[in-house]
Amino acid sequence: MSVRQESNTAPPADRTLSARARNLTHVHPADVPLQDALDALADPVRRTIVRELAATPDWTRACGTFDLPVTKATRSHHFAVLRGAGLIEQRDEGPRRLNRLRRAEFDARFPGLLALVLAEPAGTAPAEPASDPGDGASADSGNGD
Amino acid sequence: MSVRQESNTAPPADRTLSARARNLTHVHPADVPLQDALDALADPVRRTIVRELAATPDWTRACGTFDLPVTKATRSHHFAVLRGAGLIEQRDEGPRRLNRLRRAEFDARFPGLLALVLAEPAGTAPAEPASDPGDGASADSGNGD
DNA sequence: TAGACTGTTTGATGGAGGTCGACCACATGA
DNA sequence: TCATGTGGTCGACCTCCATCAAACAGTCTA
C-alpha cells in the first residue's frame, strides 16, 4: 500500500526514455514530510522559482529561463530540491527541461503553504535583486499559448 | 505609522517592570516576513515547542517544562527565535517565564501554516525521541488552571 | 563531425545557525 | 544571608547547506 502509483518515480528502466529522463526521480507531495517542505521553501531562491513558475502556464518554462542570482550549478541544485519536496514536476523536451508547479497536489498535502509563498511580494527575501523597475516581463514574457 | 502599537515591543523603559521583563522584546506576527516564519518553523525542536504549547492552556507552561533533547542554553535560544517570529508571547511570573502561543494573530498573518505544524505527528522530524511510551503527560501534566 | 546549448555532477569553500559548557542575573524561601 | 531553581548570555565548536568553478553528458543544428 502507500506510495501512490505515480509516486516516488525511480523509473524501472524504461527503454522508451532517454538516459537523461531516467534519472528524473519525482516525489509525490503526499509522501513528503513537513520537514522537507519547509526546508525547500525556506530558501528565497527556491521561493522565487516557485513564484515565477506559478506565473506561467505549465510546461512552458525551462530551468535556464529563470532570472536567478546564482550560477547554473546552484540552479540545478535548487530544482532538484524542489522536485524532491514534491513542489515541481519536470519533463525533458529536447535539450531543455520543462517545469510544472504541482499546485493542486501540493496544496492538498500542505493546505495554505503554497499560497503563502505565492502571496509573498517578490524581492522581499534576501538574495533577490528586488526586481528591476523595468518590470521583469520584458522580452521572454510569460504569455501563454 | 506602521508598527502596530503593541507590536515590536522594545519596552520604553518601564520602571514597573523587572529588569528581566524589560529585555523581553516581542514582535507582532503582522510584522514578520515569511522568511522569518519559515526559518522559525523549519527547526524540529521549535515545532515541538509549538505543538506542546498548543496542547495546553495559555500561560501555563514555563520554558523549562518542555521535554526537549537540548540543553537550557539551546532551549533559551529557540524560545527567542519563536518570539522573534511572532509565534509565541512570553511573560515573567516570578522566576519562571510563561508562554502563550499566538494562535489567532499568527494564523491571521500566515493562514494555514500553524495548522500544518500542529497537524504534524510528534516524533516525525529528526532530533526528536519519538516520544517515550509512557506518554508525556505523566507527572507535571498539562492540566490548566 | 563539430559546435552550440542546456543541464547535471563533482569537489571545494564559506557562512549561517544549532549546540554545548560555563558563567551571570534574578526571584524565592529557609 | 545563603541556597536553590529558573532562565539568559557568551564564546567556541561543528555540522549542514548554499554557492561556485570546472568537467561531463545529452540534444539539436549546421
Side-chain angles (χ1 to χ4, degrees), chain A residues 23-97:
Chain A
N23 289 342
L24 255 186
T25 59
H26 284 99
V27 177
H28 195 283
D31 297 322
V32 173
L34 177 61
Q35 180 71 68
D36 292 14
L38 292 178
D39 283 341
L41 293 177
D43 187 280
V45 175
R46 289 196 283 265
R47 286 202 305 279
T48 299
I49 294 176
V50 167
R51 267 192 305 272
E52 280 199 41
L53 210 44
T56 47
D58 290 355
W59 309 119
T60 58
R61 298 284 307 256
C63 297
T65 68
F66 289 76
D67 186 32
L68 302 174
V70 294
T71 66
K72 59 176 182 169
T74 304
R75 182 181 317 237
S76 179
H77 164 66
H78 283 312
F79 276 96
V81 172
L82 289 175
R83 216 172 52 223
L87 269 157
I88 66 172
E89 194 178 357
Q90 298 188 298
R91 172 213 295 174
D92 284 341
E93 188 98 0
R96 261 160 297 172
R97 179 159 288 185

Side-chain angles (χ1 to χ4, degrees), chain B residues 9-143:
Chain B
T9 203
D14 187 335
R15 283 156 190 294
T16 73
L17 294 176
S18 66
R20 209 194 200 110
R22 236 169 294 140
N23 289 341
L24 255 186
T25 60
H26 284 99
V27 177
H28 195 283
D31 297 322
V32 173
L34 178 60
Q35 180 72 69
D36 292 13
L38 292 177
D39 283 341
L41 293 177
D43 187 280
V45 175
R46 288 196 284 266
R47 287 202 304 279
T48 300
I49 294 176
V50 167
R51 267 191 305 271
E52 280 199 40
L53 210 44
T56 47
D58 290 353
W59 308 120
T60 58
R61 297 285 306 258
C63 297
T65 68
F66 289 76
D67 187 32
L68 303 173
V70 294
T71 67
K72 60 173 182 165
T74 305
R75 182 182 316 237
S76 179
H77 164 66
H78 283 313
F79 276 96
V81 172
L82 288 175
R83 217 172 52 224
L87 270 157
I88 66 172
E89 194 177 358
Q90 298 188 301
R91 172 212 296 173
D92 284 342
E93 188 99 0
R96 261 159 298 174
R97 180 159 288 186
L98 300 182
N99 299 277
R100 178 182 87 84
L101 184 62
R102 310 184 84 159
R103 278 181 189 269
E105 307 115 283
F106 192 86
D107 190 66
R109 170 69 178 92
F110 302 107
L113 185 50
L114 195 49
L116 291 176
V117 175
L118 301 185
E120 182 187 26
T124 288
E128 287 186 71
S131 83
D132 31 33
D135 166 34
S138 52
D140 62 318
S141 85
N143 85 10

